[in-house]
């Protein structure tokens, strides 16, 4: 799987929007962009994924650059419960058998 | 509804002991994955099952690591002759073959400490 680059950490104030960037300049045409997050002492949980178009769900929005070499996870109003490590992952195709290749992720700290 | 469960949640082993870690996936999930997460790192893939078939074991770090899923449901990850470098959180995840994105559902993990 192609590599992703994320900042090690970011800070946000509660109830403000958060934009978490991810660079993936070597993405291939069949790679999907997945985001997972891991709260303290828990397993990772799925946040959102996309291929080319921007995506929205109840948790977040995903903005994908036109050339697909970068993407941004957007939390519209950060809460204290959003403090977690956020992983940007490229996954070949959409096959259930494809494992996730995690990088170091971005540790998001939310200040009250 | 019930998610992925793992047991035990914590395991302390003396170096050289054998351990067995259990994963109960979400009922009906065909795909099952094991990951290893060292302290401060992201999870790393160990092995993948589709039903009872182990289709990918390329991530198992040595022949001391063995995983099985004999009836296509519960899975066990066994580590023989544990070493200190095996200390990590072992995560299990399951997913369905259909569905957009085939998201993986993770259990809480088993934290293994080898003394």
């Amino acid at each position: 799987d192609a590599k992703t680059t994320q900042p090690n950490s970011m800070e946000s104030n509660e109830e403000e929007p958060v934009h978490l960037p991810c660079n993936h300049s070597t993405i291939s045409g069949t790679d999907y962009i997945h985001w997972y997050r891991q709260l303290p002492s828990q397993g990772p949980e799925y946040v959102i994924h996309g291929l080319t178009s921007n995506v929205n769900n109840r948790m977040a929005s995903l903005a994908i650059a036109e050339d697909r070499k970068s993407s941004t996870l957007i939390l519209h109003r950060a809460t204290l419960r959003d403090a977690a490590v956020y992983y940007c992952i490229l996954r070949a195709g959409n096959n259930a058998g494809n494992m996730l290749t995690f990088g170091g992720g971005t540790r998001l700290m939310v200040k009250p | 509804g019930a998610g992925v469960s793992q047991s035990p949640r914590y395991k302390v082993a003396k170096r050289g002991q054998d351990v067995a870690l259990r994963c109960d996936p979400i009922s009906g999930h065909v795909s099952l994955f094991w990951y290893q997460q060292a302290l401060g790192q992201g999870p790393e893939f160990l092995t993948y099952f589709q039903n009872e078939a182990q289709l990918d074991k390329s991530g198992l770090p040595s022949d001391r690591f063995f995983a099985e899923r004999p009836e296509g449901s519960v899975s066990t990850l066994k580590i023989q002759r544990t070493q200190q470098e095996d200390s990590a959180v072992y995560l299990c995840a399951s997913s369905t073959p259909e569905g957009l994105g085939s998201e993986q559902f993770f259990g809480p993990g088993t934290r293994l400490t080898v003394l």
Side-chain angles (χ1 to χ4, degrees):
Chain A
D1 291 325
K3 184 178 171 60
T4 62
T5 304
Q6 299 177 252
N8 288 336
S9 63
M10 291 184 65
E11 268 190 8
S12 171
N13 292 318
E14 196 176 12
E15 298 190 1
E16 289 186 355
V18 182
H19 290 231
L20 296 164
C22 181
N23 287 323
H24 30 77
S25 58
T26 59
I27 191 170
S28 73
T30 57
D31 284 338
Y32 282 73
I33 302 160
H34 288 248
W35 284 81
Y36 280 72
R37 72 179 186 179
Q38 188 171 23
L39 279 65
S41 300
Q42 295 188 26
E45 66 173 342
Y46 169 83
V47 177
I48 200 167
H49 83 285
L51 183 61
T52 56
S53 304
N54 294 344
V55 184
N56 299 294
N57 66 21
R58 63 174 180 81
M59 288 182 71
S61 295
L62 176 60
I64 301 173
E66 197 168 332
D67 63 5
R68 300 210 324 127
K69 294 186 177 182
S70 66
S71 60
T72 302
L73 179 70
I74 302 166
L75 306 179
H76 296 286
R77 286 185 67 208
T79 69
L80 297 178
R81 292 184 305 161
D82 291 323
V85 178
Y86 287 78
Y87 296 98
C88 170
I89 298 165
L90 300 184
R91 196 176 184 198
N94 213 17
N95 189 326
N98 292 337
M99 76 282 202
L100 299 171
T101 302
F102 292 81
T106 296
R107 180 174 299 278
L108 175 65
M109 292 166 280
V110 181
K111 297 183 292 184
Chain B
V4 177
S5 61
Q6 293 186 245
S7 61
R9 289 294 313 276
Y10 303 90
K11 177 69 179 177
V12 178
K14 292 183 179 178
R15 191 175 57 178
Q17 280 185 332
D18 298 348
V19 298
L21 313 180
R22 176 187 170 107
C23 171
D24 284 81
I26 293 172
S27 177
H29 277 196
V30 168
S31 301
L32 186 145
F33 300 81
W34 283 97
Y35 294 84
Q36 179 191 57
Q37 185 170 25
L39 189 64
Q41 307 291 317
E44 291 190 356
F45 169 77
L46 292 177
T47 187
Y48 161 63
F49 289 86
Q50 186 177 91
N51 294 307
E52 69 279 2
Q54 189 174 19
L55 299 186
D56 187 347
K57 52 182 180 179
S58 62
L60 295 177
S62 77
D63 59 7
R64 296 186 296 105
F65 286 70
F66 172 76
E68 60 183 5
R69 194 186 184 197
E71 298 179 358
S73 177
V74 171
S75 178
T76 304
L77 176 67
K78 297 179 179 178
I79 309 173
Q80 297 177 323
R81 304 180 305 281
T82 52
Q83 304 295 313
Q84 285 189 322
E85 62 263 28
D86 300 334
S87 295
V89 175
Y90 291 85
L91 295 160
C92 174
S94 69
S95 68
T96 58
E98 297 89 22
L100 285 176
S102 299
E103 90 181 72
Q104 293 187 15
F105 296 84
F106 283 80
T110 294
R111 181 178 295 278
L112 172 65
T113 303
V114 181
L115 303 176

